[in-house]
Structure formats: C-alpha cells, structure tokens
Amino acid sequence: MDTDGVATEGTPEENGPQGPGEAPAVAQQIFGDRLPVAVRYTELLATAGVQRGLIGPREVPRLWDRHVLNCAVLAELLAPGASLCDVGSGAGLPGIPVAMARPDVSVTLLEPLLRRTTFLEEVVRELGLTNVTVLRGRAEEMVGKLAVDVVTARAVAPMDRLAGWGLPLLRPYGQMLALKGDTAEQELADSRSALTKLGAVKWSVIAVGEGTLETSTRVVRVEAGESPGGVKAATRRAKAARAGRGARAGESGGRGGGARRRR
C-alpha cells in the first residue's frame, strides 16, 4: 500500500505464497489413477504445510517439480510389495509421494517431532493412504523393533550419520536410498569407511526419472549385506529379540500358572 493508502501490486512474498499450480502432464504418468490424491497432497503442502513451518513459502510455486515428482520417481527402484521406512520424514517427503505412486509398497513415516507427526497423521487420514503408517520416534530407537527392505531419506543429515541411522533398520540385503543432489558424489566419497563398518557392501550414485522429469533425481544407493548396521546393530537386534521372547514366555507362563492353580 502506498503513502496515499491506495493498494499497489507488491512482490510475491508481500502478497503471500503463490499456489503450486496445475499438476504437470508427467504427473499422470507417475501417479496414474491416484493423481487426484497427489494433487490434494500438494495443496496440503502449500497451505497447512506452510502454515505449520514444514514447507518454506518460496517453495510453493515449485512443489510439483522440486518436491513431489522429484521424490515420487524413487518408486522406480522398489521391488513389488517392498516395505519402506522414510527416516526423518518431515512433511512426508519422499515417503508420501512414493506411497501414492506405489500402493503395493508398505510405507512407514518415521519422524521424532510431534508437530510433524500430527501433520503426517492428518494428511494420511485425509488422503486415505492405507499403505502408510506414521510412527513417532528416532531411528536409533527402532533398531530391533522395525525392519524393512528399503530406507529412504531426504535432506536429513550428512551421509555417514544418515547411514548410521538408516542401515540398522534394514533387513539383510536391503537398500538405503538417499536424495542428495549435487553433493552426492562427495558425501559418498567421504563416508566410505563408515559405510563399510555399518555393513554396506555396495554403494553408488544413480539418476532416477531420466526420460520422465526435466531434471532427474540424484540418489545415493547403499546396499547392505548380511548384517545391516554392523556389529552394534546386530547386538541390539539380538537383545531386542531376546527381550521379546522373554516377554512372550512370561505371558505364557502366567497363563499356564493360572491354569494350574485352577486345577
């Protein structure tokens, strides 16, 4: 508004965030009959996601290309019926786009912050994503409690630290897929020693979405061996398994003891 009190056209930031726009034509190819669900998710990111601080206002005009489609093409790398954990899911990226593109994949959104898990639960409920579970917690707390075929992450932490969180959650011979952009090669080079100690047997930088997206998505793929997460993770898994067996035995013994007293 000018000094005379007459409204004038301001910058996009002054007028509030712009909308995400119509879904690009390629979105139909990626999401198929779930495209309306993807459209609604993008609208939720542009409104409630911004209002709750999960998405920056300046990201709204590029939600489709830079966020939703960029994440959804990870679906190319998943086997039929795979189980997946999205570590540090935040606003649901990349877990929710993958779940929409691949309804056969079971997705767990793992996020430690309450305000984010609340948002994720509301989104999953509104979108009717029956293949998605929201779990509040940290990855290191889930070792021995959660085991999946694939771990995903986006903009969570440097590669060596991320591998320390993600690899222990994998089943033997599972894979971690980390969206890393231009830093992918350097982060991978810097973390090779840590990856070896964490039970990884193969790693590479790959591009997904080539021929589909204008700019393909760069992904660090880390493949685990027989003992994902290394010795410490194996020890924690074994301890959790023993605790689980002990709890089940205690329940069984309690029921049996009751039966004997009744006799």
Side-chain angles (χ1 to χ4, degrees), residues 93-234:
L93 299 164
I96 288 179
V98 170
M100 294 187 297
R102 289 287 301 274
D104 64 303
V105 172
S106 174
V107 175
T108 297
L109 307 177
L110 181 60
E111 169 57 49
L113 297 183
L114 177 60
R115 66 183 178 87
R116 293 177 181 175
T117 55
T118 298
F119 172 80
L120 292 172
E121 288 168 349
E122 293 171 359
V123 168
V124 168
R125 184 166 54 248
E126 177 164 342
L127 300 182
L129 297 177
T130 56
N131 61 325
V132 178
T133 299
V134 179
L135 185 60
R136 184 183 176 197
R138 299 182 182 279
E140 55 266 38
E141 300 168 347
M142 299 298 159
V143 180
K145 302 176 184 177
L146 180 67
V148 295
D149 302 312
V150 181
V151 165
T152 58
R154 182 176 190 249
V156 173
M159 195 65 212
D160 54 350
R161 198 186 320 162
L162 178 60
W165 296 337
L167 288 177
L169 300 180
L170 290 174
R171 294 187 175 122
Y173 310 107
Q175 63 176 340
M176 184 174 71
L177 304 173
L179 284 73
K180 281 293 182 180
D182 294 338
T183 66
E185 283 86 357
Q186 187 59 54
E187 286 201 41
L188 193 54
D190 293 342
S191 61
R192 288 182 178 182
S193 175
L195 292 176
T196 300
K197 292 177 181 177
L198 289 166
V201 296
K202 188 177 179 181
W203 45 82
S204 58
V205 178
I206 58 176
V208 291
E210 289 185 310
T212 303
L213 304 180
E214 287 187 14
T215 303
S216 60
T217 300
R218 291 167 62 75
V219 179
V220 173
R221 176 162 61 184
V222 179
E223 299 175 52
E226 187 175 355
S227 184
V231 175
K232 289 184 179 180

